[in-house]
Amino acid sequence: MNPADPALTMTDRYAVIGHPIAHSKSPAIHAAFAAQTAQDMTYEALLAPLDGFVETVARFREQGGRGLNVTVPFKEEAWRLTDRLSERARLAGAVNTLVVDGHGFSGDNTDGAGLVRDLEFLGCHPAGARVMLLGAGGAARGVVLPLLEAGAARLFIANRTPDRARALQAHFAGHDARGVLRAGGWEDAASTPCDIVINATSASLSDEAPPLPAGLYAPDSLAYDMVYGRGLTAFLAQARAQGAARVADGLGMLVEQAAEAFALWRGVRPDTAPVRAQLRAATPSLA
Ligand code: ATR
């Protein structure tokens, strides 16, 4: 072994790829993880043209890249690109983490695990909880399996278009051995109070809230909006008015899904608490 061999001394490269990408917090998060765990690596933001995702990924790999996080709008394209998918990524229909291996890439999706870890961090364990998931698009689909596997006592998928919620229920039926998955529209959602209500619709992006019926929130319940950086969203404000005991945004999920990806790449799990605190201090408050 020659210690001067550049292949042995080269710093490992990682990146987040998206369009746009300049706003991404991932480089700061992974730089903090790398410093904390003393990993010799770099992590950059990679802007891919809307019609140039595959080429940009291939170039990154040729240049020695070891792994990528994938964000909007390329998660589905990354899923199609990858033939070695984890089960959770296969079912999510989206890939947010690519790991370079001998032949190409393997693909995973750490979003749902990130959500579950964040809920646990917040002291709201999905195990045994009655969970309501609002939305039936990509964001919702990405978290269903991890919520089921975490042991939710009931998981109701509610959506503006009820048929899309039912389609999602059918998609995950093979993984619902305990028969806890239900689906329907907003009005079907109120039959039993919930311990955790998760907003995975894109309504918060236009400052709207799904028109949820009263009676949804159990005492001690948590309302969770998967978006972050927007302060108290219309959904979270509505949740407070309807009796949710606590509210949370998706900032913790962002950090936790990054930690999951970091662990996949490096085999080391970072302590997320200091990074969460650092980001929280720079983010609009939920007060
Ligand atoms: P994403 O990948 O962010 O999930 P998507 O696949 O376009 O995006 O899905 C958006 C989700 O937000 C859908 O569940 C959508 O409801 P429909 O299936 O009925 O379209 C939901 N959504 C978007 N705007 C909404 C609004 N103003 N009120 C309630 N639900 C909304």
Side-chain angles (χ1 to χ4, degrees), residues 76 134-140 159-161 164 186 200-203 206 208-211:
E76 285 79 16
L134 309 172
N159 195 43
R160 179 173 63 183
T161 312
R164 286 190 79 195
W186 307 138
T201 73
S202 49
S206 48
E208 293 172 59

Side-chain angles (χ1 to χ4, degrees), residues 2 22 41 51 76 108 112-113 125-126 138 159 165 171-172 191 195 201 262 278:
N2 173 9
M41 59 182 276
D51 61 353
E76 285 79 16
D108 202 347
H125 295 261
N159 195 43
H171 181 70
F172 286 97
S191 47
D195 305 301
T201 73
F262 191 91
Q278 193 184 318

